[in-house]
Amino acid sequence: MIKVIYGSKGTGKTKQIIDAANAAVATAKGHLIFITDNKRCMYDLEREIRFIDVKDFDIAGEAALCGFIKGVIAGNHDNEYVYIDGVMRIAGKAANELAGFFYMLDKVAEQNGLTITLTVSAAKEDLPDFIAKYL
């Protein structure tokens, strides 16, 4: 399952995704993974959540991000939640150019029984259909 938190810059998307991750700790039976491109929110997350800053691994671009996410998921068989903050910044693309990325996420989530939550910096009316279906 994919969930999208959307809104323009400065609308509190990062706080929403952090709150969602912290709330999931209480009920999660598997691993929780939080992926972003800065260390700004590292200390706001519960310690049970695995925090990953993609800049530590020189991840840049959609293809690299796809491979990285698959690799992180492959590392454990009991992953349950994946949170990705700033997907457009990390991928280096606009929302309407991420169709392939969302297709991959959908497939990975379905095959592995994951709930993937991510933030997209765009107003609701600017979201392409392939993203809007996850609202």
Side-chain angles (χ1 to χ4, degrees), residues 29-108:
K29 294 180 177 104
H31 289 102
L32 295 93
I33 303 163
F34 193 95
I35 300 170
T36 189
D37 64 343
N38 60 60
K39 292 184 175 36
R40 192 174 62 221
C41 62
M42 179 168 50
Y43 298 110
D44 296 331
L45 294 166
E46 297 290 331
R47 64 183 174 91
E48 294 86 359
I49 300 169
R50 181 177 176 196
F51 177 83
I52 301 172
D53 180 352
V54 295
K55 287 187 178 174
D56 292 342
F57 300 95
D58 295 324
I59 304 300
E62 179 183 4
L65 181 58
C66 286
F68 184 77
I69 290 169
K70 289 177 183 178
V72 168
I73 292 168
N76 290 313
H77 294 288
D78 60 345
N79 297 307
E80 190 172 354
Y81 295 96
V82 177
Y83 299 90
I84 307 168
D85 186 31
V87 71
M88 292 168 51
R89 283 191 319 264
I90 298 169
K93 291 190 173 184
N96 62 351
E97 298 174 337
L98 292 173
F101 178 75
F102 274 85
Y103 174 75
M104 181 278 306
L105 275 185
D106 196 37
K107 231 172 126 175
V108 166

